[in-house]
Amino acid sequence: MRIVHAADLHIDSPLRGLSRYEGAPVARARSATREAFTRVIDTCLEHDARFLVLAGDVFDGDWKDAHTGLFFLAQLARLTPIGCRVLLLRGNHDFELTRALAWPSHVHEFSAPDGKGRGMHRSFVFPDENVVFHGVSYPTREVKESLLPHYPPKVAGMLNVGVLHTSATGARGASEHLTYAPCSPADLVGHGYEYWALGHVHTHQVLSREPWVVYPGNTQGRSVRETGPKGCVVIDVEGTSIARVEHVETDVMRWYDERLVLTADDGLDDLFARVRERLESIDASSGDRLCAVRLTLEGACSAHEAVIEAPERIVDQLRAEARQVSERVWLEKVELATSPVVPLETLRRAPGLIGDLLRHVEVLRTEEAESDLLTLGRALDPLAKKAKRELEELRIDLGDRDVLLRALADAEAILAHRLTAGEPSEG
Ligand SMILES: [Mn+2]
């Protein structure tokens, strides 16, 4: 007998910030959470699952309109022919669904602790499969106390599955989420159930195997903070014990947070070649999925000067390269953090003109020289007036000391590179 366990589907989550990039596969990205749920249902059908457990945050929040609910019901209806039943728990995101539709008879929703509105449904018993599910939905967004005291004791002679939306202490990635209904894995283990179907933390992990305490992770990554494969788990049950738990990927768009470290010999052509190579390997390893890649370029390299002289052009060119690699690969963001090959520290200590210049720049960095730095900034006023709109769009304020310090560092790197070009750098 098989059970599919999923959580944190966040169906119709808006995926903020994605629409800004020209050529970005926005429509596909928007529908990603829906497609991932479709794949969860596919997984139930493929494994002939008897139950589908949804452990909270199925929806990202209250439905904007009926479309979300109609889509959800249409997918659940696909389970009816195989007799797969659904156990539904409300988490902090979907505790309240003001437009909720009546669930069909194969959907069983757990009540909140006070039973508000829907009676007390804390345990659902299925004698045909000798299994009982226990769960407590969120009555409100912020559940500060452990919900564990509301869970009934184990029913002897049956498979007991606890469904719980919780911040389990020590779980990987737990710090990325607000702490709700906290509990410790040891308390869950001690409760006596054979399997804890958790939700809330978006990173898949097995906290315990005897008994099983499992986060399936979310079904679809929604930002660069949610990289790597995402999916649900398939639980193999033999009698009243768990034989196997397997993670199955359901994501249709995968996030990558990539760092590429360039070295001294790498010029601009090498930079593009290295990026292309990396994007090709990402594309090859991701199947037919969309890949949203955040790319950080680092390292002291010859390409640095060209990078800081025209960063926007480099980023545009990289987006064009990505597009050529595959239409499935999409550069979500490029961070240019390369540094000059010229050893600034050494040059700064050297006697002569270049040393003097760099030492003067260094003085401008001190707090005592703040007024000099701001004066320097004001020298850019005529330029700032011409580029007023662009600066506003980029939120660049030339009266801001941090902005000026960054500009100073770029100018310093360009100067040092130009003034020492052709000379062997001192090691
Ligand atoms: Mn949650």
Side-chain angles (χ1 to χ4, degrees):
M1 192 272 281
R2 293 202 184 95
I3 301 171
V4 170
H5 164 205
D8 302 285
L9 301 96
H10 290 268
I11 294 171
D12 285 347
S13 156
L15 299 176
R16 279 184 197 86
L18 296 196
S19 50
R20 283 177 303 179
Y21 307 96
E22 179 64 32
V26 176
R28 187 90 198 277
R30 278 218 189 100
S31 65
T33 53
R34 284 195 184 201
E35 279 191 67
F37 183 56
T38 303
R39 292 194 177 190
V40 170
I41 302 295
D42 293 344
T43 305
C44 293
L45 299 177
E46 277 160 28
H47 291 84
D48 192 28
R50 310 312 302 143
F51 302 97
L52 167 63
V53 177
L54 299 174
D57 289 0
V58 175
F59 305 104
D60 194 51
D62 205 7
W63 306 341
K64 279 194 288 296
D65 50 46
H67 296 301
T68 306
L70 292 171
F71 162 78
F72 183 62
L73 288 181
Q75 288 304 316
L76 293 184
R78 296 174 59 209
L79 298 176
T80 315
I82 64 162
C84 176
R85 288 148 290 188
V86 180
L87 286 304
L88 179 68
L89 185 106
R90 305 272 193 109
N92 53 297
H93 274 269
D94 54 0
F95 72 95
E96 184 181 50
L97 298 173
T98 53
R99 293 173 185 80
L101 303 163
W103 302 134
S105 60
H106 67 304
V107 176
H108 308 277
E109 183 181 323
F110 296 106
S111 304
D114 55 6
K116 196 171 61 184
R118 290 176 169 260
M120 295 298 280
H121 301 292
R122 196 155 292 173
S123 300
F124 293 101
V125 183
F126 298 92
D128 58 329
E129 299 289 353
N130 204 25
V131 53
V132 53
F133 295 88
H134 312 281
V136 178
S137 283
Y138 277 38
T140 171
R141 175 175 292 273
E142 296 188 0
V143 175
K144 299 287 190 195
E145 305 293 315
S146 171
L147 289 171
L148 196 52
H150 297 286
Y151 283 71
K154 172 187 164 66
V155 177
M158 294 190 111
L159 177 79
N160 288 247
V161 176
V163 187
L164 175 59
H165 200 78
T166 177
S167 304
T169 47
R172 257 183 310 124
S175 62
E176 306 230 338
H177 305 275
L178 292 164
T179 301
Y180 290 142
C183 68
S184 76
D187 288 344
L188 295 175
V189 167
H191 202 77
Y193 299 168
E194 281 75 23
Y195 186 98
W196 278 101
L198 304 186
H200 190 52
V201 174
H202 290 187
T203 311
H204 165 55
Q205 58 205 292
V206 176
L207 296 177
S208 164
R209 282 167 184 272
E210 283 182 38
W212 290 88
V213 180
V214 178
Y215 277 114
N218 54 347
T219 47
Q220 168 61 56
R222 296 177 309 146
S223 80
V224 74
R225 289 162 66 194
E226 299 179 345
T227 54
K230 296 290 180 180
C232 58
V233 297
V234 177
I235 307 158
D236 253 312
V237 180
E238 280 171 17
T240 57
S241 58
I242 310 286
R244 211 157 57 97
V245 174
E246 184 201 0
H247 187 255
V248 174
E249 294 168 4
T250 57
D251 51 348
V252 295
M253 172 171 143
R254 192 163 290 175
W255 290 86
Y256 295 82
D257 193 0
E258 296 288 309
R259 285 175 181 275
L260 202 62
V261 181
L262 299 163
T263 55
D265 291 339
D266 288 329
L268 205 50
D269 288 347
D270 304 299
L271 181 153
F272 289 127
R274 299 276 306 278
V275 170
R276 204 159 42 233
E277 216 171 86
R278 181 69 67 92
L279 295 179
E280 277 165 0
S281 85
I282 288 172
D283 184 45
S285 68
S286 63
D288 61 351
R289 287 175 189 83
L290 278 181
C291 307
V293 183
R294 179 169 294 185
L295 183 66
T296 305
L297 297 177
E298 295 177 326
C301 57
S302 308
H304 180 71
E305 192 197 6
V307 167
I308 56 178
E309 277 196 356
E312 299 83 7
R313 203 176 60 76
I314 303 286
V315 172
D316 289 342
Q317 185 61 44
L318 288 172
R319 287 197 198 289
E321 299 274 346
R323 188 72 193 179
Q324 279 186 15
V325 167
S326 161
E327 55 178 25
R328 288 185 302 269
V329 173
W330 167 47
L331 277 181
E332 181 255 355
K333 192 174 184 182
V334 180
E335 305 258 19
L336 300 173
T338 53
S339 52
V341 177
V342 181
L344 282 175
E345 284 308 318
T346 310
L347 288 176
R348 224 173 257 137
R349 288 194 301 270
L353 174 72
I354 298 173
D356 285 344
L357 181 69
L358 294 180
R359 281 190 290 277
H360 182 66
V361 169
E362 196 67 354
V363 171
L364 282 174
R365 288 200 173 95
T366 60
E367 281 189 23
E368 293 75 43
E370 188 177 347
S371 65
D372 289 345
L373 184 67
L374 294 177
T375 308
L376 202 63
R378 276 196 295 280
L380 299 172
D381 275 350
L383 191 69
K385 278 202 189 88
K386 272 188 199 158
K388 191 164 179 287
R389 235 192 62 215
E390 286 81 357
L391 288 172
E392 271 170 12
E393 265 174 27
L394 294 167
R395 297 208 184 111
I396 292 177
D397 173 10
L398 289 174
D400 180 354
R401 184 163 179 263
D402 288 337
V403 169
L404 290 171
L405 284 174
R406 276 201 297 279
L408 190 68
D410 287 349
E412 180 184 49
I414 291 174
L415 273 174
H417 185 92
R418 293 247 169 114
L419 292 171
T420 56
E423 285 177 25
S425 58
E426 203 182 316

